[in-house]
Amino acid sequence: MSHHYGHVRAEQIKPQGEDAEKEAVDSEEQVASPDPSSITATTGTDASPGLCKQRGRGHNKPASCVKAAPDWPLRGPMAPAVINLNNPGFEQALHVKGSGSLLHGPSETNGNYLINRGPLETRREDGQSRKRRPVTVDTSKAKTSLEALKMSIKQLKWKEFPLGRRAPCDIYWHGVSFHDNENIVSGQVNKFPGMLEMLRKINMSRAVRTMQELFPEEYDFYPRSWILPEEYQLFATQIRLIKEKDAAVNPTFIVKPDGGSQGDGIYLIRDPADLKLVVGSQAKQAVVQEYIPKPLLIDKLKFDIRLYVLIKSLEPLEIYIAKEGLTRFCTEPYQEPSQKNLTHVFMHLTNYSLNVHSGNFVHSDSQNTGSKRTLSSVLYRLAAKGVDIKRVWSDIIALVIKTVIAVVPELKVYHQADIPPGKPGPTCFQILGFDILLMKNLKPVLLEVNSNPSMRIEHEQEVAPGVFEFVPSPVDEEVKVGVIRDTLRLMDPFHKKPVTSSQDKSREDIQMDGDPDSRSPDENQPSLCLKQVYPKYTKQFNHLRLVERIASLFIRFLGVKGNMRLGPTAFRTFIRTCKLSSSNFTMASVDILYIDITRRWAAAAADSREAGMGLQAFVEAFFYLAGRRFRSLSLRGQVVSLLELCEAQLGPQSEDRRSLSCGRAPQPRAVKTQTPCLTYSQLASPAPQRRAASQDNRPLQTLKPRTLRASVEN
């Protein structure tokens, strides 16, 4: 629990109106006294000769976030893979809405983006314009995203504080986590509390597994996973049974360290005996997953997609997806895994940080060649072969929304612990990096989600034997600067845009077409390269948010503000208040259930210093209680029925215990969703036994192939 938000100096809270722009912006901003521009010139990467001398004509221009390939006109198999942004017909071809009137002042063109060179203006009620103070951004903790962030701030004509500022800033840009700076009591931070922990491999797998129990068909995009070392015996037993049933089956698995990044520590196995469970004297926490043996190939190479996703707020939930992304290619022609090639990392692993060390890695200034390319160039190439790109985008958007829905419940628990209701604190937003693999049948598979995706726009290159320097990467700059710049535009405190209402569209209408949601928060700015996908598609996905409703119950009974675990007394209070005990399930049985589940989860999370029942353990207990009370229903039906019972007993939430609002919006009352029931076996045991039983009967490959929509040559 963070207590520092409870002590706020009165002089730190200042108005943001006309008086605020007179707060000596130019004299008290920096922690040190030098002029910010001079500091940037001497300490920022702009001063590096190795960076700037080769940046070329795109260095001082904003990156163009190009619309994805679904609407690009095809002109035969020899059509160019890169669209000419200066083509007069480009806007019409991409169905991009008009950008409206521009800011007054001289401007220059950069493809489909117009850069205004005039002063920032706001418009008064009488129609006359007046200057406003620039948005202030603290970049002292930005780390690897610093260069792209500086370019974005410069393009927006905002004010950067690279050494921090005594007075509060409007936006704080952190490089690692929410806790990079513990003294923020206002403004906006580009990290959510708990996101770093929640997107670790084990926590992510547990969150998705819970959703797979409730919605197995909706969450079949995540490979079957086992958590090590606690599920080693289960993993070994299931693989042995599969091989005994069919000796010809010899599946491959990929092992990922829990806290690993950039491909570090990842390896492939075909036998559980090859697992490296112990490092030194300590058991190694990891996740082992089914390896996808038939990926989609381009130029005989395996590749994955890096897609940038913005979570603008948790309550209400707002999700944006970048229309442009990156594709990272392996550097060795792909072959299906065998005992001979399991160690060929340049063939099987798409991580840029690994392949960049291959002698075959190609740094290219072109968007459609090399070992790193834009997503739009790859989609255009697939579209030229007849692939239904709109359907691919639809599946990817659904994957992103479902994944965010899976991790939001735990994030809300973290948020109320770090920024308790009623205490001053910043609002939050965050850019995530989704790594997605396309199977040969075009089905997207989630590999992982990165809480701190690399935003570097340069790469290291050997310019002489043993001499390395950083040189610009045009492909990275094209994508990443646009994502950061338009994220800042969406978070502009002077342009707060209300959440758009849900649209009643069918599942097939989920796509990346240009629409009013892509327009800038400022009518004088060009279209955004970020598309809102939630709450726009609420009606298609709102039924999946059952665990969030369970998390709301959990938070309500935490008692002490800032706590993250439920004690035995609080759990008994929950049972009594919701009237879940009976002659067949006494309070003594409640205590036994609490002790049993809490001990098991404490053993699974040996590094946890907190005692009590966490959210994941509470969800397991809730599933068990739902199964006891509504035996004749499916698991989903049981959970929905128990939720409605508890919510009816509790009534609306009191104002003094308001829930989390990263966007400072009031929380609406939970809507009771009638969810159709599927056929499940009746719940008769706690979750670990139920999961083991279900996995014994579950096919090895859960990612069901679907009919090919095009003949794609590999």
mmCIF file of all heavy atoms in Angstrom, residues 10 50 82 151 225 236 242 252 325 401 592:
data_model
loop_
_atom_site.group_PDB
_atom_site.id
_atom_site.type_symbol
_atom_site.label_atom_id
_atom_site.label_comp_id
_atom_site.label_asym_id
_atom_site.label_seq_id
_atom_site.Cartn_x
_atom_site.Cartn_y
_atom_site.Cartn_z
ATOM 1 N N ALA A 10 -0.458 21.900 0.087
ATOM 2 C CA ALA A 10 -1.499 22.722 -0.542
ATOM 3 C C ALA A 10 -0.955 23.470 -1.740
ATOM 4 O O ALA A 10 -1.643 23.674 -2.727
ATOM 5 C CB ALA A 10 -2.080 23.706 0.472
ATOM 6 N N GLY A 50 25.845 10.242 -34.030
ATOM 7 C CA GLY A 50 25.495 8.964 -34.626
ATOM 8 C C GLY A 50 24.021 8.819 -34.873
ATOM 9 O O GLY A 50 23.605 8.044 -35.711
ATOM 10 N N VAL A 82 4.129 -0.641 -50.803
ATOM 11 C CA VAL A 82 4.105 0.574 -49.993
ATOM 12 C C VAL A 82 3.282 1.624 -50.719
ATOM 13 O O VAL A 82 3.476 1.883 -51.897
ATOM 14 C CB VAL A 82 5.529 1.104 -49.751
ATOM 15 C CG1 VAL A 82 5.475 2.398 -48.966
ATOM 16 C CG2 VAL A 82 6.345 0.066 -49.003
ATOM 17 N N MET A 151 10.520 13.575 -29.891
ATOM 18 C CA MET A 151 10.016 13.942 -31.213
ATOM 19 C C MET A 151 8.519 14.213 -31.166
ATOM 20 O O MET A 151 8.022 15.156 -31.794
ATOM 21 C CB MET A 151 10.327 12.826 -32.218
ATOM 22 C CG MET A 151 11.806 12.651 -32.510
ATOM 23 S SD MET A 151 12.137 11.300 -33.663
ATOM 24 C CE MET A 151 11.307 11.913 -35.128
ATOM 25 N N SER A 225 -1.278 -24.123 -21.476
ATOM 26 C CA SER A 225 -0.110 -23.767 -20.661
ATOM 27 C C SER A 225 -0.115 -24.521 -19.341
ATOM 28 O O SER A 225 -1.168 -24.873 -18.803
ATOM 29 C CB SER A 225 -0.099 -22.251 -20.384
ATOM 30 O OG SER A 225 -0.184 -21.508 -21.582
ATOM 31 N N ALA A 236 3.844 -33.626 -16.899
ATOM 32 C CA ALA A 236 4.531 -34.864 -17.277
ATOM 33 C C ALA A 236 3.539 -36.009 -17.469
ATOM 34 O O ALA A 236 3.666 -36.808 -18.405
ATOM 35 C CB ALA A 236 5.570 -35.223 -16.215
ATOM 36 N N ILE A 242 -0.593 -38.940 -23.527
ATOM 37 C CA ILE A 242 -0.784 -38.638 -24.947
ATOM 38 C C ILE A 242 0.110 -39.532 -25.802
ATOM 39 O O ILE A 242 -0.329 -40.092 -26.821
ATOM 40 C CB ILE A 242 -0.485 -37.153 -25.216
ATOM 41 C CG1 ILE A 242 -1.572 -36.278 -24.600
ATOM 42 C CG2 ILE A 242 -0.375 -36.875 -26.711
ATOM 43 C CD1 ILE A 242 -1.269 -34.800 -24.645
ATOM 44 N N THR A 252 5.804 -30.595 -29.492
ATOM 45 C CA THR A 252 6.889 -29.721 -29.046
ATOM 46 C C THR A 252 6.322 -28.663 -28.116
ATOM 47 O O THR A 252 5.197 -28.199 -28.296
ATOM 48 C CB THR A 252 7.562 -29.046 -30.249
ATOM 49 O OG1 THR A 252 8.032 -30.046 -31.154
ATOM 50 C CG2 THR A 252 8.734 -28.177 -29.816
ATOM 51 N N GLY A 325 1.524 -1.422 -37.160
ATOM 52 C CA GLY A 325 2.357 -2.147 -36.218
ATOM 53 C C GLY A 325 3.634 -2.608 -36.905
ATOM 54 O O GLY A 325 3.982 -2.149 -37.999
ATOM 55 N N ILE A 401 -9.201 -7.324 -27.221
ATOM 56 C CA ILE A 401 -10.239 -6.956 -26.249
ATOM 57 C C ILE A 401 -10.403 -8.053 -25.202
ATOM 58 O O ILE A 401 -10.481 -7.780 -23.994
ATOM 59 C CB ILE A 401 -11.572 -6.682 -26.966
ATOM 60 C CG1 ILE A 401 -11.444 -5.456 -27.879
ATOM 61 C CG2 ILE A 401 -12.695 -6.471 -25.958
ATOM 62 C CD1 ILE A 401 -12.672 -5.198 -28.738
ATOM 63 N N ILE A 592 -12.908 -23.755 6.877
ATOM 64 C CA ILE A 592 -12.075 -24.804 6.285
ATOM 65 C C ILE A 592 -11.779 -24.487 4.826
ATOM 66 O O ILE A 592 -10.648 -24.655 4.350
ATOM 67 C CB ILE A 592 -12.769 -26.180 6.423
ATOM 68 C CG1 ILE A 592 -12.844 -26.577 7.905
ATOM 69 C CG2 ILE A 592 -12.035 -27.240 5.614
ATOM 70 C CD1 ILE A 592 -13.657 -27.827 8.159
#
